[in-house]
Amino acid sequence: MRLLNQRDSAHAITASFYTDSIIRLFPSDQLKKKYAKEYAKALLLKGDDLLARRDYSNAYRSYYDGKLALTDLNEVCEYSRYSSRIANVSYKEGNYYQAIDFWKQEHQELLSCQDSTDFELMFVEKQGCLDNIGVCYMYLNKLDSAQFYYQKALDFINTNQKYFPGHKDFIDYARIVVMSNQAEAYALENKPEKAEIIFKQCLIEGEKTGYAFDNSQATRVALSKLYIHTKQYEKAHQQLDILKKGLQKKPNKEIYTYWQRFYSQVLFGKKRYKEASEQLLEYAEMQYKSVLAARAENKTNVGQILAQIEQQHLVQLSEEKQKQQNLILGLVILVTISLAAITSLIWKNVRNARENISSLLAINQVVAQKNIVLEDTVKALERYQDQNQKFLKLIAHDLRNPIGAMSSASLLLFLDKTPNDHQKQILSIIQESSTKALALISEILYNNLGAISIKKEPVLFEEVVRSCVDMLSHKAEEKGQTIEFSFESVLITLDREKIWRVVSNLLTNAIKFSYANETIRVDIQKKEYSTILTITDHGIGIPAEIQNAIFDDFTTAKRVGTAGEQTYGLGLSICKQIVDAHGGKIWVVSAVDKGSTFYVEIPFL
């Protein structure tokens, strides 16, 4: 859960919460020593969270404590990960000599590591620490030393690339990064001809890799800087024009800052002073805003103290929550009896309200066959008055926690011993009933509650969709299915949580109604005024006569999944309400036994 949340930058706080929950698994020194490797990994993750928040001092301490935890295990390969992180903290603080020492230490540890199959340690980290040492020497204006380590990194890459044929794109990219740094050092040595040749070679080689776009932007920035320094303003202008087109395709705030500064210098060099001054003022304004933002992010000592107090408060809340959960576990039997009584009352109201005796018998037959009381309640609500609807939803809300508690409690019953076959069957029935009941309760609570309230914010749409794909991939793997995801990067204003629910519903349906071993495609396409998400499966398809009804509340146009999965007729209705609230459209194109494609179009405004 921590790693999944870390992939989406908007979930950094949640990722940090999961990291803290891992560390709380080691409350005593005895446990920390017994599971030293696991505890050290938790401290590594904690350090990464702190580093992302620019809390360098605490990040350093977390990495250092993690390395100390491994002292007695002789885990040389693992040591290198912590040395690399500590070096990175020192680098970000501008302490380049200390960073050099730790990257050299990492290199020695990697030389002693015998795990030759680990691409990250044996290639990525080895060439990376050599290149990083060169960068530090370059920032210290020790250009001879910088060039020495750049050449060592290139020699290592060229010698060892044959051992990792499956990582050609990354290896080519790594070589280009080192060459670009090497060219920058030549520029600082006042050797512009050599620097220009290498920069151009980087651009040519970069087009052959899967990292071409990001690499070319950084290289063009460096090449523009070189041309400006040598007063070749026309060449610099050409590179900046190419760079601007790239920024229109994929915005990058840092690269745009470089573009503003260099473009103003080019205009000044070409004696277009008015335009240069306007561009320089825009650059200065942007820099001023960046400084204010950086100041806002910096923590004072008081802020650190408050953060520690807040963390302690969270721990206390967690302990209180655990006590409440223990109390709930003790009341499982009482809750079960209450559920039976409430269900009996609901059934009695339904029986009195129904005028058609044949419909009553049909519903009774469904209850006997399916043994799902809450599903019967949902069907009965179709003919209920508003008062009964509110009553049922209130009950559903209050039942969600005890049902969830029963499900969790059932898993703890045999924590210390293995259940027999009969007990396994009972556990399976409890889990299956709880899961279906919770699904029904959630859909009742979220469906048809009046106008949907949305809270929009700028979001990278592919992050939302990627989160759903990652979370549901295991469900697809259970049926031997594959999810392929491609996208055009787009920043759009929407309600992240509600759109996530739409994507989750559609992708769940695609998995449910696709056959085993099929491929499900998820695509994001950017249009002029909107973006379109498409989810395509090769499953059972939707008959033409019911396609217009699948988005209705409590629709009867529902079928069983390819592996017998149940449907409740609510998911697509919820999707339509959310998409409509965003001013968008949702529709389907489908054919029986050929599959379905669902389209979701969301406007930019």
Side-chain angles (χ1 to χ4, degrees):
M1 290 301 298
R2 188 269 181 194
L3 293 174
L4 282 171
N5 281 278
Q6 186 195 31
R7 293 182 183 181
D8 189 338
S9 59
H11 294 171
I13 296 177
T14 307
S16 181
F17 167 80
Y18 281 112
T19 303
D20 292 338
S21 73
I22 297 171
I23 292 177
R24 285 198 293 273
L25 295 174
F26 306 92
S28 66
D29 291 338
Q30 183 180 1
L31 280 174
K32 292 174 184 177
K33 190 172 183 179
K34 183 177 180 180
Y35 301 101
K37 191 171 181 179
E38 290 78 7
Y39 177 60
K41 179 63 179 296
L43 291 174
L44 186 75
L45 297 177
K46 182 63 176 178
D48 290 346
D49 291 341
L50 293 166
L51 184 61
R53 298 202 298 264
R54 300 181 184 179
D55 188 351
Y56 298 132
S57 59
N58 285 321
Y60 180 92
R61 183 171 61 183
S62 186
Y63 293 140
Y64 192 80
D65 289 345
K67 192 169 185 178
L68 285 179
L70 297 172
T71 301
D72 296 332
L73 301 183
N74 196 29
E75 291 279 353
V76 181
C77 298
E78 289 299 315
Y79 289 165
S80 65
R81 301 184 193 276
Y82 298 84
S83 298
S84 175
R85 297 303 208 286
I86 294 171
N88 196 28
V89 173
S90 302
Y91 174 82
K92 289 184 177 296
E93 287 188 313
N95 192 344
Y96 299 123
Y97 282 112
Q98 181 171 293
I100 289 170
D101 288 341
F102 276 105
W103 268 316
K104 286 182 177 180
Q105 184 176 333
E106 179 198 10
H107 189 254
Q108 290 300 317
E109 290 163 349
L110 290 172
L111 290 176
S112 302
C113 179
Q114 301 301 315
D115 188 1
S116 60
T117 61
D118 191 322
F119 175 69
E120 181 184 351
L121 287 177
M122 293 296 98
F123 188 92
V124 177
E125 287 295 328
K126 276 189 177 180
Q127 64 85 26
C129 65
L130 291 171
D131 182 47
N132 290 334
I133 292 170
V135 171
C136 288
Y137 276 126
M138 186 169 67
Y139 287 165
L140 292 168
N141 201 31
K142 296 180 179 294
L143 301 178
D144 289 342
S145 297
Q147 292 288 23
F148 173 79
Y149 278 96
Y150 290 149
Q151 191 58 49
K152 283 192 69 171
L154 289 173
D155 292 342
F156 174 83
I157 292 170
N158 295 331
T159 302
N160 292 274
Q161 61 182 350
K162 60 186 176 184
Y163 301 118
F164 303 98
H167 298 278
K168 184 178 184 306
D169 261 6
F170 180 87
I171 291 171
D172 290 342
Y173 176 66
R175 183 186 294 107
I176 292 167
V177 170
V178 179
M179 289 171 58
S180 182
N181 289 335
Q182 189 180 51
E184 191 170 351
Y186 277 129
L188 292 172
E189 288 179 306
N190 200 24
K191 298 177 181 178
E193 296 82 5
K194 282 189 175 182
E196 182 181 9
I197 291 172
I198 296 176
F199 279 137
K200 288 184 175 180
Q201 186 180 353
C202 289
L203 290 174
I204 294 171
E205 294 296 325
E207 294 299 326
K208 302 175 185 178
T209 74
Y211 303 87
F213 186 81
D214 292 333
N215 176 69
S216 67
Q217 280 194 318
T219 304
R220 290 189 194 282
V221 166
L223 186 55
S224 301
K225 180 181 178 181
L226 175 68
Y227 285 143
I228 292 170
H229 181 71
T230 56
K231 302 187 184 304
Q232 299 180 72
Y233 298 116
E234 192 58 43
K235 288 185 177 181
H237 201 160
Q238 291 173 2
Q239 294 299 323
L240 290 173
D241 284 344
I242 297 173
L243 190 63
K244 187 175 183 180
K245 291 178 181 178
L247 289 170
Q248 291 171 347
K249 178 181 178 182
K250 187 176 181 181
N252 182 307
K253 186 176 179 181
E254 183 179 1
I255 297 295
Y256 180 66
T257 301
Y258 282 119
W259 180 89
Q260 282 185 308
R261 179 156 60 94
F262 292 160
Y263 190 59
S264 65
Q265 292 177 3
V266 168
L267 292 173
F268 186 84
K270 298 174 79 172
K271 300 182 179 180
R272 293 161 60 179
Y273 301 124
K274 181 179 179 182
E275 295 174 78
S277 62
E278 291 173 351
Q279 189 65 49
L280 194 59
L281 285 172
E282 183 181 345
Y283 167 73
E285 178 67 18
M286 188 171 181
Q287 287 296 99
Y288 175 69
K289 291 180 179 179
S290 298
V291 170
L292 291 180
R295 288 176 180 172
E297 290 180 0
N298 289 336
K299 292 184 176 181
T300 63
N301 292 333
V302 175
Q304 292 177 355
I305 294 171
L306 290 176
Q308 293 172 359
I309 293 173
E310 182 180 1
Q311 184 65 27
Q312 293 172 358
H313 179 62
L314 289 174
V315 172
Q316 292 174 354
L317 289 178
S318 177
E319 292 174 352
E320 292 176 2
K321 185 177 180 181
Q322 185 63 42
K323 292 178 182 179
Q324 293 175 354
Q325 290 175 345
N326 292 337
L327 179 61
I328 291 173
L329 291 177
L331 298 175
V332 168
I333 297 176
L334 180 61
V335 171
T336 304
I337 296 173
S338 301
L339 279 172
I342 293 170
T343 305
S344 176
L345 290 173
I346 295 174
W347 169 245
K348 184 177 180 181
N349 287 337
V350 171
R351 184 181 58 189
N352 294 336
R354 299 299 294 267
E355 296 178 357
N356 191 329
I357 190 64
S358 61
S359 297
L360 178 60
L361 292 174
I363 292 175
N364 195 32
Q365 183 179 3
V366 172
V367 173
Q369 292 173 349
K370 301 297 182 180
N371 195 24
I372 304 175
V373 176
L374 289 178
E375 184 176 350
D376 175 44
T377 304
V378 174
K379 291 180 179 293
L381 280 172
E382 294 175 5
R383 298 182 181 274
Y384 254 16
Q385 297 176 351
D386 292 340
Q387 182 178 0
N388 285 337
Q389 288 179 342
K390 293 178 181 178
F391 174 65
L392 180 58
K393 287 179 179 178
L394 179 61
I395 293 174
H397 183 275
D398 291 339
L399 290 182
R400 181 166 54 182
N401 286 339
I403 290 176
M406 284 191 295
S407 176
S408 300
S410 67
L411 295 174
L412 298 175
L413 291 175
F414 297 96
L415 188 62
D416 298 327
K417 60 181 179 179
T418 302
N420 57 39
D421 291 341
H422 179 65
Q423 290 168 336
K424 287 180 180 178
Q425 184 178 7
I426 293 174
L427 283 175
S428 177
I429 293 172
I430 293 173
Q431 288 294 304
E432 183 178 355
S433 299
S434 299
T435 300
K436 291 181 179 179
L438 287 172
L440 280 172
I441 288 171
S442 295
E443 291 189 344
I444 291 170
L445 285 172
Y446 289 122
N447 187 63
N448 201 22
L449 293 177
I452 286 185
S453 174
I454 61 174
K455 184 178 180 181
K456 291 185 176 182
E457 58 178 324
V459 172
L460 279 173
F461 192 31
E462 64 267 21
E463 284 190 354
V464 179
V465 179
R466 169 67 70 185
S467 178
C468 289
V469 170
D470 289 342
M471 293 290 281
L472 294 174
S473 289
H474 72 283
K475 283 188 174 291
E477 290 171 0
E478 289 174 359
K479 298 178 74 172
Q481 298 166 348
T482 302
I483 301 176
E484 294 183 354
F485 177 40
S486 62
F487 62 88
E488 293 182 71
S489 184
V490 55
L491 184 68
I492 187 169
T493 302
L494 49 77
D495 187 313
R496 174 188 292 271
E497 185 274 330
K498 290 185 172 62
I499 291 298
W500 188 96
R501 195 188 309 164
V502 171
V503 180
S504 176
N505 265 322
L506 295 178
L507 190 52
T508 299
N509 283 350
I511 296 169
K512 183 185 300 181
F513 296 113
S514 289
Y515 299 107
N517 303 317
E518 289 288 354
T519 298
I520 298 168
R521 282 205 54 80
V522 181
D523 298 280
I524 299 174
Q525 186 177 8
K526 184 178 180 182
K527 298 294 185 181
E528 185 175 2
Y529 300 107
S530 65
T531 186
I532 295 181
L533 167 73
T534 60
I535 298 179
T536 303
D537 64 64
H538 301 283
I540 63 178
I542 305 171
E545 60 270 19
I546 67 171
Q547 287 184 18
N548 291 333
I550 61 175
F551 295 107
D552 295 342
D553 291 343
F554 297 99
T555 180
T556 58
K558 51 188 178 181
R559 292 181 293 169
V560 176
T562 57
E565 300 99 328
Q566 293 294 318
T567 57
Y568 306 107
L570 293 172
L572 291 177
S573 169
I574 296 171
C575 290
K576 188 175 188 306
Q577 292 179 46
I578 293 173
V579 174
D580 287 347
H582 282 78
K585 296 186 295 183
I586 182 171
W587 70 96
V588 65
V589 175
S590 182
V592 175
D593 293 329
K594 293 185 179 180
S596 304
T597 298
F598 280 83
Y599 297 84
V600 176
E601 182 175 12
I602 302 175
F604 288 142
L605 298 178

